[in-house]
Amino acid sequence: MTALPEVARAFGRAAAGYDRHARLQQKVADWLLSELSPGPRLLDVGCGTGYCLEQLGGGIGLDISAGMLAHCQQKGHRQLLQADASALPLASHSIDTVVSSLALQWCVDLPAALAELARVLRPGGCWHLALPLAGSLNELATAWQDQRPHLLALPAAAKLQALLPPQASLTVRRFTCYYPDLSALRASLKGIGAHHVPGRSSGLTGRHRYQRFLDNLERQRTAQGLPLTYLIGRIQWQKPCLSPAPTPMPVKPT
């Protein structure tokens, strides 16, 4: 998640059709939740339209997009907060389980967001987080022949691992979606709000360069269609319990 308002607006505009396009998001969420036994007080960071909350039977949903939260509310979810992951409006040690699926990549300051997630988690509570890693959307990077102007910068697995608390586990899995044509591929990205890249310069794509992009993309076509691959990192961590204070030794009278 990020404080950039244009990203929140992009997801808000996508909210109405989000669930129709979110095949990857639902697959990743199912993988993330497959080993989860949530505690009584659960927080979903980047809850979107509420898929994880539905699967888990409710909890606190947090998102930067008012549009996403409005659709989440229409589904019956009532504990909703509009906020940035790097400034959670929650008390320290107040959450049993933190879930976040494909949201933390939008953070301007990922270490600050992770620190906030650790702060609100009670001792003994657990993280279950998933975010895309460097190497995702490689088909588009290859087709553009220059990743920087067009794709969101994502952390490498080793760099992400270095940001995590000790004993946190990072598991990487590849997900590939296939599309019949570029229009369907673009609709899937736009439909989930992921077509917006913060700070992307305009006017970078001329007619000839765009045609090269199309040609390069078509060269990657398989029998299943145009592939789009994501490398997803799943983070699991249990916050250490606080050590009990040592029992003072009795003082013998002199």
Side-chain angles (χ1 to χ4, degrees):
M1 304 230 298
T2 176
L4 294 172
E6 61 267 28
V7 174
R9 287 194 294 268
F11 279 101
R13 289 191 295 269
Y18 184 91
D19 291 339
R20 294 196 306 271
H21 297 281
R23 289 182 299 161
L24 170 78
Q25 284 69 20
Q26 292 170 6
K27 287 180 181 178
V28 172
D30 290 342
W31 177 52
L32 178 66
L33 304 182
S34 63
E35 299 181 9
L36 191 155
S37 298
R41 190 163 171 82
L42 177 137
L43 172 67
D44 182 1
V45 177
C47 64
T49 57
Y51 182 81
C52 288
L53 293 175
E54 291 174 18
Q55 304 307 306
L56 296 171
I60 302 170
L62 182 142
D63 205 284
I64 56 167
S65 169
M68 286 291 189
L69 292 174
H71 280 266
C72 201
Q73 187 175 40
Q74 290 174 10
K75 295 181 178 181
H77 301 292
R78 294 290 176 261
Q79 297 184 77
L80 301 174
L81 297 171
Q82 185 177 4
D84 192 296
S86 61
L88 297 175
L90 296 165
S92 299
H93 315 307
S94 62
I95 298 297
D96 297 292
T97 307
V98 175
V99 171
S100 182
S101 186
L102 300 187
L104 294 175
Q105 69 271 18
W106 298 104
C107 290
V108 173
D109 188 342
L110 182 56
L114 293 173
E116 275 290 271
L117 299 188
R119 177 186 66 80
V120 301
L121 194 65
R122 68 164 177 81
C126 294
W127 277 358
H128 294 266
L129 318 175
L131 67 160
L133 303 174
S136 296
L137 307 178
N138 189 57
E139 294 86 355
L140 295 181
T142 298
W144 281 120
Q145 299 179 331
D146 182 355
Q147 182 176 353
R148 291 169 299 171
H150 297 277
L151 301 177
L152 185 69
L154 298 171
K159 193 172 206 179
L160 178 60
Q161 184 75 67
L163 297 176
L164 301 178
Q167 289 78 51
S169 67
L170 175 62
T171 305
V172 180
R173 180 174 171 182
R174 184 184 302 269
F175 291 80
T176 304
C177 299
Y178 296 90
Y179 303 92
D181 51 40
L182 178 61
S183 296
L185 186 152
R186 292 175 66 181
S188 74
L189 293 176
K190 187 173 183 179
I192 60 172
H195 63 297
H196 182 85
V197 178
R200 180 173 65 185
S201 301
S202 59
L204 289 174
T205 307
R207 181 169 59 87
H208 295 296
R209 187 178 184 196
Y210 186 66
Q211 186 59 51
R212 287 199 304 272
F213 163 74
L214 294 177
D215 293 342
N216 291 336
L217 195 63
E218 279 297 325
R219 292 189 186 99
Q220 300 177 77
R221 179 181 290 277
T222 71
Q224 295 169 277
L226 293 175
L228 199 55
T229 302
Y230 296 79
L231 293 180
I232 306 299
R234 181 176 69 183
I235 301 164
Q236 295 171 304
W237 176 60
Q238 183 173 25
K239 188 174 182 177
C241 293
L242 297 176
S243 300
T247 303
M249 295 293 292
V251 179
K252 295 181 179 180
T254 55

